[in-house]
PDB file of all heavy atoms in Angstrom:
ATOM      1  N   SER A  29      32.063 -52.183 108.605  1.00 76.00           N
ATOM      2  CA  SER A  29      33.015 -52.731 109.581  1.00 76.00           C
ATOM      3  C   SER A  29      32.521 -54.059 110.155  1.00 76.00           C
ATOM      4  O   SER A  29      33.310 -54.846 110.679  1.00 76.00           O
ATOM      5  CB  SER A  29      33.254 -51.724 110.715  1.00 76.00           C
ATOM      6  OG  SER A  29      32.091 -51.566 111.488  1.00 76.00           O
ATOM      7  N   PHE A  30      31.206 -54.319 110.033  1.00 78.00           N
ATOM      8  CA  PHE A  30      30.650 -55.567 110.527  1.00 78.00           C
ATOM      9  C   PHE A  30      30.345 -56.558 109.413  1.00 78.00           C
ATOM     10  O   PHE A  30      30.522 -57.768 109.601  1.00 78.00           O
ATOM     11  CB  PHE A  30      29.325 -55.299 111.274  1.00 78.00           C
ATOM     12  CG  PHE A  30      29.504 -54.651 112.617  1.00 78.00           C
ATOM     13  CD1 PHE A  30      29.269 -53.312 112.796  1.00 78.00           C
ATOM     14  CD2 PHE A  30      29.911 -55.400 113.730  1.00 78.00           C
ATOM     15  CE1 PHE A  30      29.424 -52.699 114.029  1.00 78.00           C
ATOM     16  CE2 PHE A  30      30.060 -54.811 114.977  1.00 78.00           C
ATOM     17  CZ  PHE A  30      29.817 -53.473 115.128  1.00 78.00           C
ATOM     18  N   SER A  31      29.905 -56.056 108.268  1.00 73.00           N
ATOM     19  CA  SER A  31      29.355 -56.932 107.243  1.00 73.00           C
ATOM     20  C   SER A  31      30.111 -56.772 105.917  1.00 73.00           C
ATOM     21  O   SER A  31      30.708 -55.730 105.656  1.00 73.00           O
ATOM     22  CB  SER A  31      27.860 -56.599 107.003  1.00 73.00           C
ATOM     23  OG  SER A  31      27.141 -56.687 108.218  1.00 73.00           O
ATOM     24  N   PRO A  32      30.041 -57.811 105.068  1.00 69.00           N
ATOM     25  CA  PRO A  32      30.691 -57.713 103.748  1.00 69.00           C
ATOM     26  C   PRO A  32      30.095 -56.631 102.874  1.00 69.00           C
ATOM     27  O   PRO A  32      28.896 -56.322 102.981  1.00 69.00           O
ATOM     28  CB  PRO A  32      30.420 -59.115 103.149  1.00 69.00           C
ATOM     29  CG  PRO A  32      30.118 -60.000 104.296  1.00 69.00           C
ATOM     30  CD  PRO A  32      29.422 -59.116 105.306  1.00 69.00           C
ATOM     31  N   LEU A  33      30.899 -56.064 102.016  1.00 67.00           N
ATOM     32  CA  LEU A  33      30.459 -55.000 101.114  1.00 67.00           C
ATOM     33  C   LEU A  33      29.280 -55.451 100.273  1.00 67.00           C
ATOM     34  O   LEU A  33      28.309 -54.704 100.084  1.00 67.00           O
ATOM     35  CB  LEU A  33      31.641 -54.597 100.208  1.00 67.00           C
ATOM     36  CG  LEU A  33      31.327 -53.612  99.057  1.00 67.00           C
ATOM     37  CD1 LEU A  33      30.985 -52.254  99.646  1.00 67.00           C
ATOM     38  CD2 LEU A  33      32.515 -53.499  98.117  1.00 67.00           C
ATOM     39  N   ILE A  34      29.321 -56.672  99.818  1.00 65.00           N
ATOM     40  CA  ILE A  34      28.317 -57.148  98.886  1.00 65.00           C
ATOM     41  C   ILE A  34      26.950 -57.337  99.554  1.00 65.00           C
ATOM     42  O   ILE A  34      25.913 -57.416  98.909  1.00 65.00           O
ATOM     43  CB  ILE A  34      28.775 -58.472  98.240  1.00 65.00           C
ATOM     44  CG1 ILE A  34      28.130 -58.700  96.910  1.00 65.00           C
ATOM     45  CG2 ILE A  34      28.565 -59.641  99.175  1.00 65.00           C
ATOM     46  CD1 ILE A  34      28.739 -59.815  96.106  1.00 65.00           C
ATOM     47  N   LEU A  35      26.940 -57.411 100.910  1.00 66.00           N
ATOM     48  CA  LEU A  35      25.685 -57.508 101.640  1.00 66.00           C
ATOM     49  C   LEU A  35      25.147 -56.117 101.998  1.00 66.00           C
ATOM     50  O   LEU A  35      23.941 -55.885 101.936  1.00 66.00           O
ATOM     51  CB  LEU A  35      25.914 -58.320 102.949  1.00 66.00           C
ATOM     52  CG  LEU A  35      24.706 -58.407 103.894  1.00 66.00           C
ATOM     53  CD1 LEU A  35      23.553 -59.141 103.223  1.00 66.00           C
ATOM     54  CD2 LEU A  35      25.104 -59.103 105.185  1.00 66.00           C
ATOM     55  N   VAL A  36      26.018 -55.198 102.355  1.00 72.00           N
ATOM     56  CA  VAL A  36      25.617 -53.883 102.821  1.00 72.00           C
ATOM     57  C   VAL A  36      25.252 -52.953 101.678  1.00 72.00           C
ATOM     58  O   VAL A  36      24.249 -52.236 101.736  1.00 72.00           O
ATOM     59  CB  VAL A  36      26.749 -53.268 103.661  1.00 72.00           C
ATOM     60  CG1 VAL A  36      26.453 -51.792 103.959  1.00 72.00           C
ATOM     61  CG2 VAL A  36      26.915 -54.052 104.963  1.00 72.00           C
ATOM     62  N   GLN A  37      26.066 -52.945 100.637  1.00 68.00           N
ATOM     63  CA  GLN A  37      25.930 -51.939  99.560  1.00 68.00           C
ATOM     64  C   GLN A  37      24.542 -51.935  98.906  1.00 68.00           C
ATOM     65  O   GLN A  37      24.005 -50.867  98.665  1.00 68.00           O
ATOM     66  CB  GLN A  37      27.036 -52.173  98.531  1.00 68.00           C
ATOM     67  CG  GLN A  37      27.283 -50.967  97.630  1.00 68.00           C
ATOM     68  CD  GLN A  37      27.869 -49.783  98.406  1.00 68.00           C
ATOM     69  OE1 GLN A  37      28.208 -49.910  99.570  1.00 68.00           O
ATOM     70  NE2 GLN A  37      27.936 -48.646  97.762  1.00 68.00           N
ATOM     71  N   PRO A  38      23.970 -53.094  98.587  1.00 67.00           N
ATOM     72  CA  PRO A  38      22.676 -53.070  97.886  1.00 67.00           C
ATOM     73  C   PRO A  38      21.520 -52.559  98.715  1.00 67.00           C
ATOM     74  O   PRO A  38      20.487 -52.198  98.180  1.00 67.00           O
ATOM     75  CB  PRO A  38      22.464 -54.528  97.511  1.00 67.00           C
ATOM     76  CG  PRO A  38      23.211 -55.295  98.512  1.00 67.00           C
ATOM     77  CD  PRO A  38      24.426 -54.479  98.773  1.00 67.00           C
ATOM     78  N   LEU A  39      21.654 -52.559 100.055  1.00 72.00           N
ATOM     79  CA  LEU A  39      20.559 -52.112 100.908  1.00 72.00           C
ATOM     80  C   LEU A  39      20.272 -50.636 100.665  1.00 72.00           C
ATOM     81  O   LEU A  39      19.209 -50.142 101.085  1.00 72.00           O
ATOM     82  CB  LEU A  39      20.893 -52.364 102.370  1.00 72.00           C
ATOM     83  CG  LEU A  39      21.036 -53.865 102.745  1.00 72.00           C
ATOM     84  CD1 LEU A  39      21.423 -53.993 104.205  1.00 72.00           C
ATOM     85  CD2 LEU A  39      19.742 -54.600 102.488  1.00 72.00           C
ATOM     86  N   GLY A  40      21.199 -49.951 100.035  1.00 71.00           N
ATOM     87  CA  GLY A  40      20.936 -48.536  99.672  1.00 71.00           C
ATOM     88  C   GLY A  40      19.754 -48.375  98.737  1.00 71.00           C
ATOM     89  O   GLY A  40      19.209 -47.279  98.621  1.00 71.00           O
ATOM     90  N   ALA A  41      19.374 -49.466  98.076  1.00 71.00           N
ATOM     91  CA  ALA A  41      18.221 -49.396  97.184  1.00 71.00           C
ATOM     92  C   ALA A  41      16.936 -49.045  97.931  1.00 71.00           C
ATOM     93  O   ALA A  41      15.987 -48.526  97.324  1.00 71.00           O
ATOM     94  CB  ALA A  41      18.039 -50.736  96.450  1.00 71.00           C
ATOM     95  N   VAL A  42      16.919 -49.301  99.228  1.00 74.00           N
ATOM     96  CA  VAL A  42      15.770 -48.905 100.049  1.00 74.00           C
ATOM     97  C   VAL A  42      15.588 -47.396  99.985  1.00 74.00           C
ATOM     98  O   VAL A  42      14.467 -46.875 100.045  1.00 74.00           O
ATOM     99  CB  VAL A  42      15.990 -49.364 101.520  1.00 74.00           C
ATOM    100  CG1 VAL A  42      14.905 -48.821 102.430  1.00 74.00           C
ATOM    101  CG2 VAL A  42      16.034 -50.885 101.601  1.00 74.00           C
ATOM    102  N   ALA A  43      16.697 -46.679  99.853  1.00 76.00           N
ATOM    103  CA  ALA A  43      16.648 -45.210  99.777  1.00 76.00           C
ATOM    104  C   ALA A  43      15.855 -44.761  98.571  1.00 76.00           C
ATOM    105  O   ALA A  43      15.185 -43.700  98.621  1.00 76.00           O
ATOM    106  CB  ALA A  43      18.046 -44.628  99.717  1.00 76.00           C
ATOM    107  N   LEU A  44      15.872 -45.513  97.504  1.00 73.00           N
ATOM    108  CA  LEU A  44      15.137 -45.147  96.284  1.00 73.00           C
ATOM    109  C   LEU A  44      13.644 -45.108  96.560  1.00 73.00           C
ATOM    110  O   LEU A  44      12.937 -44.140  96.193  1.00 73.00           O
ATOM    111  CB  LEU A  44      15.453 -46.129  95.162  1.00 73.00           C
ATOM    112  CG  LEU A  44      14.584 -46.012  93.889  1.00 73.00           C
ATOM    113  CD1 LEU A  44      14.660 -44.605  93.322  1.00 73.00           C
ATOM    114  CD2 LEU A  44      15.006 -47.041  92.871  1.00 73.00           C
ATOM    115  N   VAL A  45      13.119 -46.146  97.196  1.00 75.00           N
ATOM    116  CA  VAL A  45      11.698 -46.214  97.475  1.00 75.00           C
ATOM    117  C   VAL A  45      11.287 -45.105  98.455  1.00 75.00           C
ATOM    118  O   VAL A  45      10.291 -44.417  98.246  1.00 75.00           O
ATOM    119  CB  VAL A  45      11.319 -47.584  98.085  1.00 75.00           C
ATOM    120  CG1 VAL A  45       9.850 -47.649  98.418  1.00 75.00           C
ATOM    121  CG2 VAL A  45      11.704 -48.708  97.105  1.00 75.00           C
ATOM    122  N   VAL A  46      12.079 -44.922  99.514  1.00 77.00           N
ATOM    123  CA  VAL A  46      11.771 -43.861 100.491  1.00 77.00           C
ATOM    124  C   VAL A  46      11.819 -42.495  99.852  1.00 77.00           C
ATOM    125  O   VAL A  46      10.940 -41.650 100.074  1.00 77.00           O
ATOM    126  CB  VAL A  46      12.770 -43.925 101.680  1.00 77.00           C
ATOM    127  CG1 VAL A  46      12.514 -42.774 102.657  1.00 77.00           C
ATOM    128  CG2 VAL A  46      12.650 -45.263 102.407  1.00 77.00           C
ATOM    129  N   THR A  47      12.842 -42.262  99.018  1.00 76.00           N
ATOM    130  CA  THR A  47      12.981 -40.946  98.371  1.00 76.00           C
ATOM    131  C   THR A  47      11.833 -40.682  97.411  1.00 76.00           C
ATOM    132  O   THR A  47      11.346 -39.563  97.300  1.00 76.00           O
ATOM    133  CB  THR A  47      14.325 -40.865  97.596  1.00 76.00           C
ATOM    134  OG1 THR A  47      15.381 -41.142  98.489  1.00 76.00           O
ATOM    135  CG2 THR A  47      14.523 -39.496  97.008  1.00 76.00           C
ATOM    136  N   ALA A  48      11.399 -41.716  96.684  1.00 75.00           N
ATOM    137  CA  ALA A  48      10.305 -41.550  95.728  1.00 75.00           C
ATOM    138  C   ALA A  48       9.015 -41.146  96.438  1.00 75.00           C
ATOM    139  O   ALA A  48       8.318 -40.208  96.015  1.00 75.00           O
ATOM    140  CB  ALA A  48      10.081 -42.850  94.958  1.00 75.00           C
ATOM    141  N   VAL A  49       8.717 -41.812  97.560  1.00 75.00           N
ATOM    142  CA  VAL A  49       7.525 -41.458  98.321  1.00 75.00           C
ATOM    143  C   VAL A  49       7.659 -40.074  98.930  1.00 75.00           C
ATOM    144  O   VAL A  49       6.722 -39.260  98.882  1.00 75.00           O
ATOM    145  CB  VAL A  49       7.284 -42.520  99.435  1.00 75.00           C
ATOM    146  CG1 VAL A  49       6.117 -42.104 100.318  1.00 75.00           C
ATOM    147  CG2 VAL A  49       7.019 -43.894  98.827  1.00 75.00           C
ATOM    148  N   LEU A  50       8.829 -39.796  99.517  1.00 76.00           N
ATOM    149  CA  LEU A  50       9.054 -38.521 100.182  1.00 76.00           C
ATOM    150  C   LEU A  50       8.966 -37.364  99.177  1.00 76.00           C
ATOM    151  O   LEU A  50       8.305 -36.347  99.429  1.00 76.00           O
ATOM    152  CB  LEU A  50      10.412 -38.529 100.859  1.00 76.00           C
ATOM    153  CG  LEU A  50      10.829 -37.281 101.654  1.00 76.00           C
ATOM    154  CD1 LEU A  50       9.864 -37.074 102.809  1.00 76.00           C
ATOM    155  CD2 LEU A  50      12.255 -37.423 102.156  1.00 76.00           C
ATOM    156  N   ASN A  51       9.634 -37.499  98.031  1.00 73.00           N
ATOM    157  CA  ASN A  51       9.628 -36.441  97.046  1.00 73.00           C
ATOM    158  C   ASN A  51       8.239 -36.214  96.491  1.00 73.00           C
ATOM    159  O   ASN A  51       7.849 -35.094  96.191  1.00 73.00           O
ATOM    160  CB  ASN A  51      10.610 -36.765  95.913  1.00 73.00           C
ATOM    161  CG  ASN A  51      10.688 -35.648  94.893  1.00 73.00           C
ATOM    162  OD1 ASN A  51      11.103 -34.539  95.205  1.00 73.00           O
ATOM    163  ND2 ASN A  51      10.283 -35.958  93.672  1.00 73.00           N
ATOM    164  N   SER A  52       7.493 -37.283  96.302  1.00 75.00           N
ATOM    165  CA  SER A  52       6.137 -37.176  95.794  1.00 75.00           C
ATOM    166  C   SER A  52       5.268 -36.326  96.705  1.00 75.00           C
ATOM    167  O   SER A  52       4.458 -35.514  96.269  1.00 75.00           O
ATOM    168  CB  SER A  52       5.526 -38.579  95.615  1.00 75.00           C
ATOM    169  OG  SER A  52       4.192 -38.486  95.157  1.00 75.00           O
ATOM    170  N   ARG A  53       5.456 -36.524  98.036  1.00 76.00           N
ATOM    171  CA  ARG A  53       4.673 -35.759  98.994  1.00 76.00           C
ATOM    172  C   ARG A  53       5.134 -34.311  99.099  1.00 76.00           C
ATOM    173  O   ARG A  53       4.329 -33.367  99.141  1.00 76.00           O
ATOM    174  CB  ARG A  53       4.728 -36.434 100.370  1.00 76.00           C
ATOM    175  CG  ARG A  53       4.023 -37.788 100.419  1.00 76.00           C
ATOM    176  CD  ARG A  53       4.117 -38.419 101.791  1.00 76.00           C
ATOM    177  NE  ARG A  53       3.397 -39.671 101.851  1.00 76.00           N
ATOM    178  CZ  ARG A  53       2.103 -39.788 102.095  1.00 76.00           C
ATOM    179  NH1 ARG A  53       1.371 -38.711 102.322  1.00 76.00           N
ATOM    180  NH2 ARG A  53       1.533 -40.973 102.162  1.00 76.00           N
ATOM    181  N   VAL A  54       6.467 -34.127  99.175  1.00 72.00           N
ATOM    182  CA  VAL A  54       7.018 -32.782  99.335  1.00 72.00           C
ATOM    183  C   VAL A  54       6.741 -31.905  98.121  1.00 72.00           C
ATOM    184  O   VAL A  54       6.341 -30.761  98.232  1.00 72.00           O
ATOM    185  CB  VAL A  54       8.531 -32.854  99.609  1.00 72.00           C
ATOM    186  CG1 VAL A  54       9.164 -31.457  99.588  1.00 72.00           C
ATOM    187  CG2 VAL A  54       8.802 -33.513 100.971  1.00 72.00           C
ATOM    188  N   ALA A  55       7.001 -32.461  96.932  1.00 70.00           N
ATOM    189  CA  ALA A  55       6.811 -31.712  95.684  1.00 70.00           C
ATOM    190  C   ALA A  55       5.379 -31.742  95.200  1.00 70.00           C
ATOM    191  O   ALA A  55       5.041 -31.054  94.211  1.00 70.00           O
ATOM    192  CB  ALA A  55       7.732 -32.272  94.593  1.00 70.00           C
ATOM    193  N   ARG A  56       4.530 -32.528  95.883  1.00 75.00           N
ATOM    194  CA  ARG A  56       3.132 -32.661  95.498  1.00 75.00           C
ATOM    195  C   ARG A  56       2.988 -33.062  94.022  1.00 75.00           C
ATOM    196  O   ARG A  56       2.205 -32.494  93.258  1.00 75.00           O
ATOM    197  CB  ARG A  56       2.392 -31.337  95.749  1.00 75.00           C
ATOM    198  CG  ARG A  56       2.354 -30.978  97.232  1.00 75.00           C
ATOM    199  CD  ARG A  56       1.599 -29.670  97.461  1.00 75.00           C
ATOM    200  NE  ARG A  56       1.589 -29.337  98.903  1.00 75.00           N
ATOM    201  CZ  ARG A  56       1.024 -28.222  99.373  1.00 75.00           C
ATOM    202  NH1 ARG A  56       0.431 -27.365  98.574  1.00 75.00           N
ATOM    203  NH2 ARG A  56       1.069 -28.005 100.673  1.00 75.00           N
ATOM    204  N   VAL A  57       3.803 -34.044  93.685  1.00 73.00           N
ATOM    205  CA  VAL A  57       3.798 -34.587  92.320  1.00 73.00           C
ATOM    206  C   VAL A  57       3.423 -36.053  92.411  1.00 73.00           C
ATOM    207  O   VAL A  57       4.027 -36.821  93.150  1.00 73.00           O
ATOM    208  CB  VAL A  57       5.177 -34.415  91.655  1.00 73.00           C
ATOM    209  CG1 VAL A  57       5.209 -35.123  90.318  1.00 73.00           C
ATOM    210  CG2 VAL A  57       5.516 -32.958  91.500  1.00 73.00           C
ATOM    211  N   THR A  58       2.440 -36.437  91.619  1.00 76.00           N
ATOM    212  CA  THR A  58       2.028 -37.839  91.594  1.00 76.00           C
ATOM    213  C   THR A  58       2.831 -38.597  90.539  1.00 76.00           C
ATOM    214  O   THR A  58       2.865 -38.203  89.375  1.00 76.00           O
ATOM    215  CB  THR A  58       0.524 -37.953  91.262  1.00 76.00           C
ATOM    216  OG1 THR A  58      -0.229 -37.255  92.235  1.00 76.00           O
ATOM    217  CG2 THR A  58       0.107 -39.424  91.232  1.00 76.00           C
ATOM    218  N   LEU A  59       3.513 -39.620  90.987  1.00 75.00           N
ATOM    219  CA  LEU A  59       4.298 -40.424  90.036  1.00 75.00           C
ATOM    220  C   LEU A  59       3.383 -41.147  89.068  1.00 75.00           C
ATOM    221  O   LEU A  59       2.384 -41.760  89.479  1.00 75.00           O
ATOM    222  CB  LEU A  59       5.155 -41.446  90.801  1.00 75.00           C
ATOM    223  CG  LEU A  59       6.327 -40.893  91.627  1.00 75.00           C
ATOM    224  CD1 LEU A  59       6.985 -42.016  92.376  1.00 75.00           C
ATOM    225  CD2 LEU A  59       7.322 -40.183  90.719  1.00 75.00           C
ATOM    226  N   ASN A  60       3.704 -41.084  87.782  1.00 79.00           N
ATOM    227  CA  ASN A  60       2.906 -41.774  86.809  1.00 79.00           C
ATOM    228  C   ASN A  60       3.256 -43.268  86.806  1.00 79.00           C
ATOM    229  O   ASN A  60       4.188 -43.729  87.475  1.00 79.00           O
ATOM    230  CB  ASN A  60       3.108 -41.174  85.405  1.00 79.00           C
ATOM    231  CG  ASN A  60       4.595 -41.034  85.064  1.00 79.00           C
ATOM    232  OD1 ASN A  60       5.373 -41.927  85.328  1.00 79.00           O
ATOM    233  ND2 ASN A  60       4.941 -39.915  84.422  1.00 79.00           N
ATOM    234  N   ARG A  61       2.487 -44.031  86.050  1.00 84.00           N
ATOM    235  CA  ARG A  61       2.663 -45.469  86.045  1.00 84.00           C
ATOM    236  C   ARG A  61       4.025 -45.874  85.534  1.00 84.00           C
ATOM    237  O   ARG A  61       4.669 -46.785  86.085  1.00 84.00           O
ATOM    238  CB  ARG A  61       1.568 -46.119  85.170  1.00 84.00           C
ATOM    239  CG  ARG A  61       1.600 -47.645  85.143  1.00 84.00           C
ATOM    240  CD  ARG A  61       0.378 -48.188  84.428  1.00 84.00           C
ATOM    241  NE  ARG A  61       0.399 -49.650  84.381  1.00 84.00           N
ATOM    242  CZ  ARG A  61       0.955 -50.353  83.435  1.00 84.00           C
ATOM    243  NH1 ARG A  61       1.570 -49.718  82.421  1.00 84.00           N
ATOM    244  NH2 ARG A  61       0.942 -51.680  83.458  1.00 84.00           N
TER     245      ARG A  61
END
């Protein structure tokens, strides 16, 4: 409602990094290279 779609939508990519770290800790799985 404040910002253009093209500016807001890609910021969801931050969720990928957070989820990867969170899932690695919760599932006790070390991400490989």
Side-chain angles (χ1 to χ4, degrees):
S29 67
F30 287 102
S31 306
L33 173 68
I34 205 169
L35 175 64
V36 170
Q37 199 66 8
L39 295 178
V42 173
L44 170 57
V45 179
V46 176
T47 304
V49 175
L50 182 63
N51 183 63
S52 178
R53 292 180 179 275
V54 171
R56 297 181 180 179
V57 173
T58 301
L59 291 175
N60 51 41
R61 183 172 180 271

